């Protein structure tokens, strides 16, 4: 197969942490050709989508885990798969890229599907399944937020819809003298909505479970535990990874998500669960596969590439 990965510059990649790197290394190991490009390397000419891409060679080393060859012009209608792995934030250039990738529909597998990426805000997507979520409000009005926090016991978490890696996540307590200031900061003084969610104490006793899902089926899981003095368990915010598994209840929850995930072309996603409740569906560039593989001794990245192979063969 020829696989093009649309992602961030290779300098941002760490060979022992990065999930995109693990997928590319696994693809190389299975004798596929792998190419790298940035969002801005995509171009649309007469309705056909191309990329100015560079062949990528992966190696397990710190200095230069991804080596790039000479630039070449690739017609993306003629490659086998395009992996979209650009990290958040979701800005206009990302939006336009999803609209350009739309041209590949019917010709090339795009993972995740461009329309799915465009439609699924990672936090709002979970709101399609309110029965699986903690009690949640998305609003801009301070008094509505205050009333909601009171209704969930006086303690909540407030987070920006555009956030990732734990950025901008605050605990919000009714009794906090900073309450108004935090809400104003998060809502730009009432001009933008933020997500407010019942505080889940399981974050401290257990952590935040990431389950990677491929084709609607759980692949593997890991727990992220916040550093002491923090509520955020994101590995990027100092959280640590702990081995875990996928429980029967979690499998059931994922079964519930599966039809919608598949209908939306969200083939490879990272589901976040705190105390068994769904808080996020990460679709843009879910991470954690390397930590999971090391802890479980299972080559999960190979399994993802094998899934792509099967999907293309079908
Ligand atoms: N409802 C909640 N209760 C307790 N902790 C939460 C809650 N929501 C988020 N957190 C903490 O904040 C972290 C980041 O929140 P999350 O919604 O996953 O946003 P993102 O990972 O996109 O920044 C979580 O991993 C968790 O540690
Ligand atoms: Mg998260």
């Amino acid at each position: 197969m020829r696989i093009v990965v649309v992602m961030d510059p290779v300098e941002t990649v760490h060979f022992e942490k990065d999930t995109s790197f693990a997928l590319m290394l696994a693809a190389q190991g299975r004798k596929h050709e792998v190419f790298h490009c940035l969002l801005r390397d995509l171009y649309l000419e007469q309705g056909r989508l191309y990329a100015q891409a560079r062949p990528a060679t992966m190696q397990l080393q710190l200095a230069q885990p991804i080596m790039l060859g000479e630039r070449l012009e690739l017609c993306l209608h003629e490659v086998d798969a395009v992996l979209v792995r650009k990290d958040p934030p979701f800005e206009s250039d990302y939006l336009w890229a999803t609209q350009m990738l739309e041209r590949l529909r019917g010709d090339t597998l795009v993972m995740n599907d461009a329309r799915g990426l465009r439609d699924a805000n990672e936090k709002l997507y979970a709101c399609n399944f309110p029965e699986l979520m903690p009690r949640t409000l998305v609003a801009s009005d301070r008094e509505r937020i205050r009333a909601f926090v009171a209704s969930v016991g006086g303690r909540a978490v407030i987070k920006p819809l555009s956030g990732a890696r734990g950025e901008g996540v605050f605990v919000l307590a009714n009794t906090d003298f900073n309450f108004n200031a935090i809400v104003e900061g998060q809502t730009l003084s009432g001009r933008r909505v933020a997500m407010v969610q019942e505080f889940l104490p399981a974050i401290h006793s257990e952590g935040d479970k990431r389950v990677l899902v491929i084709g609607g089926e759980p692949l593997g899981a890991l727990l992220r535990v916040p550093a002491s003095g923090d509520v955020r368990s994101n590995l990027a915010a100092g959280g640590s990874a702990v081995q875990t598994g996928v429980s029967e209840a979690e499998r059931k929850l994922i079964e519930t998500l599966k039809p919608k995930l598949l209908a939306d072309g969200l083939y490879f996603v990272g589901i976040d669960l705190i105390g068994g409740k769904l808080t996020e569906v990460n679709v843009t560039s879910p991470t954690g596969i390397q930590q999971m593989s090391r802890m479980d001794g299972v080559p999960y990245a190979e399994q993802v590439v094998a899934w792509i192979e099967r999907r293309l063969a079908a």
Side-chain angles (χ1 to χ4, degrees):
M1 300 194 298
R2 290 198 301 165
I3 302 176
V4 180
V5 187
V6 186
M7 58 186 276
D8 290 298
V10 292
E11 293 73 33
T12 63
V13 164
H14 192 288
F15 77 110
E16 284 178 321
K17 295 182 185 164
D18 195 275
T19 294
S20 304
F21 173 76
L23 297 176
M24 293 163 87
L25 182 71
Q28 170 179 278
R30 295 173 75 91
K31 308 287 176 237
H32 302 303
E33 272 184 280
V34 182
F35 300 86
H36 172 276
C37 78
L38 306 174
L39 285 184
R40 64 161 183 261
D41 295 323
L42 297 174
Y43 63 99
L44 192 60
E45 191 167 341
Q46 300 299 112
R48 302 269 291 170
L49 187 67
Y50 301 83
Q52 205 178 67
R54 299 169 71 174
T57 315
M58 279 56 68
Q59 38 199 357
L60 281 167
Q61 61 161 52
L62 184 63
Q64 205 183 15
I66 303 180
M67 276 200 335
L68 298 178
E70 289 298 309
R71 281 185 185 285
L72 45 88
E73 315 292 321
L74 276 183
C75 176
L76 297 186
H77 299 264
E78 286 157 15
V79 303
D80 298 284
V82 174
L83 306 191
V84 187
R85 293 281 312 171
K86 164 84 179 68
D87 280 339
F90 189 115
E91 286 166 340
S92 353
D93 53 352
Y94 191 96
L95 171 71
W96 300 328
T98 64
Q99 289 166 343
M100 289 164 75
L101 287 162
E102 201 64 63
R103 295 297 306 151
L104 298 178
R105 190 170 300 284
D107 291 345
T108 304
L109 173 67
V110 180
M111 186 170 109
N112 286 323
D113 184 79
R115 187 185 297 149
L117 287 174
R118 190 161 62 237
D119 285 355
N121 171 279
E122 307 192 313
K123 297 203 173 59
L124 287 176
Y125 195 82
C127 300
N128 288 306
F129 304 92
E131 68 288 1
L132 305 179
M133 270 192 110
R135 282 173 290 172
T136 300
L137 170 76
V138 179
S140 62
D141 180 65
R142 193 173 77 194
E143 290 318 307
R144 189 179 307 283
I145 293 173
R146 185 179 285 286
F148 176 80
V149 174
S151 78
V152 297
R155 196 151 64 128
V157 164
I158 186 165
K159 40 194 178 183
L161 287 181
S162 58
R165 300 174 286 264
E167 291 156 9
V169 177
F170 283 82
V171 174
L172 194 57
N174 257 354
T175 49
D176 187 344
F177 286 118
N178 297 311
F179 189 100
N180 289 345
I182 293 173
V183 173
E184 280 163 22
Q186 292 273 339
T187 64
L188 304 179
S189 301
R191 278 177 280 124
R192 167 176 94 176
V193 294
M195 178 171 276
V196 190
Q197 198 162 67
E198 131 184 52
F199 180 86
L200 300 165
I203 194 60
H204 290 307
S205 54
E206 220 174 284
D208 184 344
K209 186 178 283 197
R210 158 64 51 89
V211 186
L212 285 176
V213 174
I214 181 77
E217 302 286 338
L219 184 70
L222 69 84
L223 269 173
R224 294 158 305 169
V225 179
S228 71
D230 207 324
V231 71
R232 301 162 315 152
S233 59
N234 306 69
L235 301 180
S240 41
V242 174
Q243 190 181 10
T244 185
V246 186
S247 70
E248 226 12 78
E250 289 157 354
R251 281 181 195 281
K252 275 226 175 81
L253 183 148
I254 292 164
E255 273 297 303
T256 311
L257 305 183
K258 182 175 177 176
K260 179 155 177 66
L261 288 175
L262 292 183
D264 292 336
L266 298 173
Y267 309 118
F268 184 53
V269 303
I271 287 175
D272 289 351
L273 302 160
I274 307 175
K277 304 253 171 153
L278 180 68
T279 59
E280 248 197 317
V281 180
N282 293 273
V283 302
T284 51
S285 60
T287 57
I289 210 166
Q290 293 219 38
Q291 294 85 345
M292 243 173 241
S293 281
R294 277 195 290 274
M295 289 187 296
D296 295 351
V298 178
Y300 291 123
E302 275 78 0
Q303 295 183 4
V304 173
V305 177
W307 182 89
I308 298 173
E309 290 166 3
R310 287 199 303 278
R311 169 103 193 172
L312 288 172

